[in-house]
């Protein structure tokens, strides 16, 4: 496996060179699966009824709704788009469902009709559902749980920020990102970037 063409000629499979501890820590990483759905409406049939463009829900199959057209300021588009994310449990329950994801679509629409009856969900010109297989870290390296309320002054909570994959006299391979950070959000990404910079 070639890792990329550059002035640093790296080749081979670094996974075979991982230490036993590193390999075990990475094998414990788990991502939650979710469904994402886009509802498209003709502007003549529908006008967004709220001042907000994004909203989170704390229960049910639907956890996030965004007036995508309004959020992006895309007033020139010929359709109104609403973006929806399911919760983790629906993703787990329907993990084996295949496209076109009819059960997921029905569950999302039913929950939307209950939570937001002011939106004519049944009048959508088109609905596209996508299985978001790796949406967010559920368990990070070393089987650690990221925390959505993590802040810089809370310490690293055992997360390394980055993991050394390989080292040679001319190269250093680091894995950085959400699986190595105490939060699976922008703050966690910045934390991971800082730790990677320190490691270099």
């Amino acid at each position: 496996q070639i890792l990329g063409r550059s002035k640093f000629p790296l080749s081979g499979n670094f996974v075979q060179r991982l230490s036993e501890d590193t390999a075990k820590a990475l094998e414990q990483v788990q991502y939650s699966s979710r469904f994402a759905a886009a509802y498209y409406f003709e502007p003549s049939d529908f006008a967004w009824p709220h001042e907000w463009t994004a909203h989170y829900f704390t229960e049910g199959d639907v956890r996030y709704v965004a007036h995508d057209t309004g959020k992006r300021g895309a007033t020139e588009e010929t359709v109104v788009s609403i973006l929806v994310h399911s919760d983790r449990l629906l993703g787990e329950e329907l993990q084996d469902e295949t496209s076109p994801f009819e059960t997921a679509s029905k569950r999302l629409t039913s929950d939307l009709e209950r939570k937001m009856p002011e939106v004519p969900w049944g009048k959508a010109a088109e609905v596209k559902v996508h299985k978001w297989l790796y949406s967010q870290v559920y368990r990070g390296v070393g089987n650690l749980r990221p925390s959505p309320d993590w802040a810089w002054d809370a310490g690293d909570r055992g997360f390394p920020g980055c993991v050394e994959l390989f080292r040679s006299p001319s190269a250093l391979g680091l894995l950085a990102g959400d699986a190595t950070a105490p939060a699976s959000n922008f703050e966690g990404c910045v934390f991971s970037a800082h730790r990677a910079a320190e490691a270099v």
Side-chain angles (χ1 to χ4, degrees):
Q1 176 182 353
I2 296 178
L3 301 178
R5 297 182 182 275
S6 73
K7 62 182 181 176
F8 305 105
L10 296 174
S11 64
N13 186 342
F14 66 84
V15 175
Q16 295 172 343
R17 299 181 182 186
L18 292 177
S19 72
E20 189 176 326
D21 288 345
T22 300
K24 186 175 180 180
L26 293 176
E27 286 171 357
Q28 293 174 325
V29 174
Q30 296 176 18
Y31 285 84
S32 61
S33 296
R34 298 171 195 268
F35 287 94
Y39 290 76
Y40 299 100
F41 296 88
E42 296 292 340
S44 57
D45 294 338
F46 173 68
W48 183 247
H50 300 287
E51 292 184 11
W52 52 264
T53 56
H55 184 74
Y56 288 93
F57 295 94
T58 58
E59 50 82 30
D61 290 332
V62 172
R63 293 304 178 98
Y64 173 80
V65 174
H67 174 215
D68 189 55
T69 307
K71 190 173 177 188
R72 293 182 292 109
T75 55
E76 74 288 349
E77 290 185 358
T78 57
V79 295
V80 176
S81 61
I82 311 299
L83 180 65
V84 175
H85 294 173
S86 79
D87 83 324
R88 175 181 59 81
L89 298 177
L90 185 67
E92 288 176 11
E93 181 183 335
L94 301 178
Q95 64 182 345
D96 296 326
E97 185 170 27
T98 57
S99 183
F101 311 114
E102 291 178 8
T103 304
S105 180
K106 287 176 183 174
R107 291 270 298 269
L108 292 172
T109 301
S110 175
D111 199 30
L112 287 166
E113 288 172 341
R114 183 179 64 81
K115 288 176 175 167
M116 300 177 68
E118 67 279 12
V119 176
W121 300 104
K123 289 187 177 180
E126 186 175 5
V127 179
K128 289 187 178 180
V129 180
H130 172 75
K131 184 183 284 186
W132 193 1
L133 195 56
Y134 302 104
S135 74
Q136 206 168 25
V137 174
Y138 182 64
R139 297 264 181 206
V141 292
N143 204 30
L144 297 169
R145 284 291 305 270
S147 175
D149 62 351
W150 176 82
W152 279 99
D153 58 358
D156 62 23
R157 297 191 179 175
F159 283 89
C162 68
V163 174
E164 183 177 307
L165 300 177
F166 63 88
R167 181 186 291 267
S168 73
S170 60
L172 170 65
L174 297 174
L175 175 69
D178 55 5
T180 66
S184 187
N185 56 23
F186 181 75
E187 291 281 321
C189 290
V190 173
F191 170 85
S192 183
H194 273 268
R195 288 290 177 92
E198 290 171 357
V200 174

